[in-house]
Amino acid sequence: MSKRVRVRFAPSPTGGLHLGGVRTVLYNYLFAKKHGGDFLVRIEDTDQSRYVPGAEEYIFDCLKWCGLDPDESVQHGGNYGPYRQSERKSSYRQYAEQLVKDGHAYYAFDTPEELEKMRQDFRTEQNPSPQYDHTIRMKMRNSLTLTADETEKMLRDGKFVTRIKMPAGETVSFMDMIRGEVHFDTSLVDDKVLLKADGMPTYHLAVVVDDHLMQISHAFRGEEWLSSAPVHILLWKYLFGLGNMPQWAHFPLILGPNGKLSKRDGSKYGFPVFAMNWTDPKSGELTEGFKEKGFLPGAFINLLALLGWNDGTEQEIFSKEELIEKFSIERVHSGGAKFDYEKAKWFNHEWIKRWPVRDLSYQVKPLLEENGLWVPDDNLLNKVIELVKDRCTFLPDFIQQSSFFFKSPDSWDLDAVKPNWNPDKRIFFENFATRLAAISTWESVTLENEFKNLAGEKNIKPGELQLPFRIMLVGGKFGPPVFHIAELLGKEETISRIEKAVSLF
Ligand code: GLU
């Protein structure tokens, strides 16, 4: 029987969660849901020097906002906990010791000064940054070069790390679900530290041990981890057997305007790179998020899904349910996926247009209220949203596009009206206000007919009157069709805005 599908997202809580991280979550999530499996989040916090307070909660907040909640995690519980590696500290040492015993790892006692000296002494033109590897290990202070007694003594002192003993001249291969067979020459890989002096594992040991203990069936992660794969494959081989190893896939890099997309690109080119606003607790620097920019979560995951994957058709708009149904790892590309902000905006615009008005109103109402606009009745709000949503790319666009429905203008684009304003037009609007007062069916079509009839009677082209009318109702040269605006404003308000503006123009 094949293994139950169990996949994991394994973030280190070191800062904001960028596009690439959320896409890794998404592909894991879709794969798990498609195969009726489990998606878990494991917090990889073994590098205490990089730990950033608040980052863990922030990651879960982002997943919640995206609608990608895990089945198991620190916050969701599960049978394979703890889900925070620092709390699993005691479980790693035995594996490191097993590796030493079997001759696949060794203890190293080199001080930071000695390591620095090694980097200086072995530096050559061909090899400007020498690594602790098979060519150098026998010249360093470790359990391979010291006598058993000396080693014993050093171990008692407790200041040592455990390093993997990378074999020289072997080829390690594995089958990547996206890239096919991948090969590595082990001679080129250094003897990575597995267990640190403080007893904490490094990422390399912890990821393998935990993927085993948590029964991970598929390990999917970003391409930046591909170069670590030979170390992980060998650890699997030495500790648990290659037959038990998860299937691997490394997702393509997300590219910005200049190579790999970076946080800096966001501020440089003015687009968000994190899922949600993130404030660095040390520097206080704020990096804008897609959420706060006004993206809908559905649009965000839709655009991320398409950054490196497609279903083989021209379809671009997918609901989460459709993505679950159609997603396949084999259709993820291996080449870098270019992030195009204009396209991201297009996705959001399409989602806003298609999103049910009632759902939009839950998002828009608080935005309006935060901006001092009082929404007297939800029914009106829904009608307004229906009318203006095609004009909105981001949620906050609703503020500008609809504020005049809830508050009469306090400034008017006079420059647009004044040059062509004349007494005939003034009389037209005075008469129009009187006619409106007598209208019984307050609908845009009736209003438009009334407007056109009166213009005909006065011998003025209706086209010349529409702009002033718009500015009377809205204040500026924007918004949906003007008679629709008047319909929603209602009789009293429309007349009062006309009268007020006429006295000003
Ligand atoms: N802890 C690694 C990270 O921060 C996870 C890599 C993996 O998924 O194996 O991205």
Side-chain angles (χ1 to χ4, degrees), residues 127-145:
N127 186 10
S129 41
Q131 318 189 79
Y132 205 118
D133 63 10
H134 69 103
T135 62
I136 284 179
R137 68 168 82 102
M138 295 313 285
K139 297 167 186 148
M140 303 299 290
R141 263 179 350 116
N142 53 50
S143 58
L144 302 174
T145 58

Side-chain angles (χ1 to χ4, degrees), residues 8 10-12 44 203 207 220-221 225:
R8 85 298 192 276
S12 299
E44 303 210 323
Y203 159 67
V207 75
F220 302 148
R221 57 188 180 185
W225 299 104

Side-chain angles (χ1 to χ4, degrees), residues 435-481:
R435 294 238 182 144
L436 289 182
I439 270 186
S440 54
T441 33
W442 191 261
E443 278 169 10
S444 60
V445 200
T446 334
L447 304 181
E448 187 167 359
N449 285 338
E450 204 60 54
F451 189 87
K452 287 191 173 149
N453 291 341
L454 184 61
E457 288 168 29
K458 303 270 179 210
N459 231 338
I460 313 178
K461 285 198 199 104
E464 281 186 34
L465 297 161
Q466 287 214 16
L467 179 70
F469 188 31
R470 170 176 299 282
I471 293 186
M472 288 172 179
L473 301 186
V474 174
K477 284 188 277 189
F478 58 91

Side-chain angles (χ1 to χ4, degrees), residues 8-14 24 42-44 50 85 203 207 211 219-222 224-225 232 248:
R8 85 298 192 276
F9 174 56
S12 299
T14 54
T24 300
R42 182 175 67 224
I43 300 293
E44 303 210 323
R50 292 179 64 225
Q85 285 182 329
Y203 159 67
V207 75
D211 281 351
F220 302 148
R221 57 188 180 185
E224 61 275 28
W225 299 104
H232 303 164
W248 297 93

Side-chain angles (χ1 to χ4, degrees), residues 205-332:
L205 179 63
V207 75
V208 170
V209 169
D210 286 341
D211 281 351
H212 168 70
L213 295 177
M214 295 181 172
Q215 295 192 23
I216 298 303
S217 62
H218 298 77
F220 302 148
R221 57 188 180 185
E223 183 179 323
E224 61 275 28
W225 299 104
L226 191 56
S227 60
S228 303
V231 180
H232 303 164
I233 309 288
L234 283 178
L235 289 176
W236 268 99
K237 179 172 158 189
Y238 299 151
L239 289 170
F240 311 117
L242 287 180
N244 297 313
M245 191 168 73
Q247 278 183 269
W248 297 93
H250 291 83
F251 300 140
L253 291 180
I254 296 186
L255 305 173
N258 295 303
K260 191 180 169 199
L261 183 71
S262 74
K263 195 177 95 176
R264 300 272 156 244
D265 286 340
S267 41
K268 192 160 162 199
Y269 299 102
F271 54 71
V273 283
F274 285 164
M276 286 167 57
N277 274 4
W278 166 254
T279 306
D280 185 285
K282 262 207 205 118
S283 64
E285 186 194 359
L286 171 82
T287 308
E288 192 180 33
F290 279 84
K291 176 180 180 222
E292 290 77 5
K293 183 79 197 174
F295 276 80
L296 292 175
F300 183 50
I301 66 167
N302 186 171
L303 73 93
L304 285 182
L306 279 269
L307 267 179
W309 171 87
N310 66 61
D311 75 341
T313 72
E314 298 290 300
Q315 185 175 344
E316 293 189 286
I317 301 296
F318 292 90
S319 66
K320 189 166 89 178
E321 291 65 36
E322 277 178 294
L323 287 173
I324 292 173
E325 190 196 318
K326 303 209 164 142
F327 183 75
S328 74
I329 288 288
E330 288 76 13
R331 286 204 61 87
V332 175

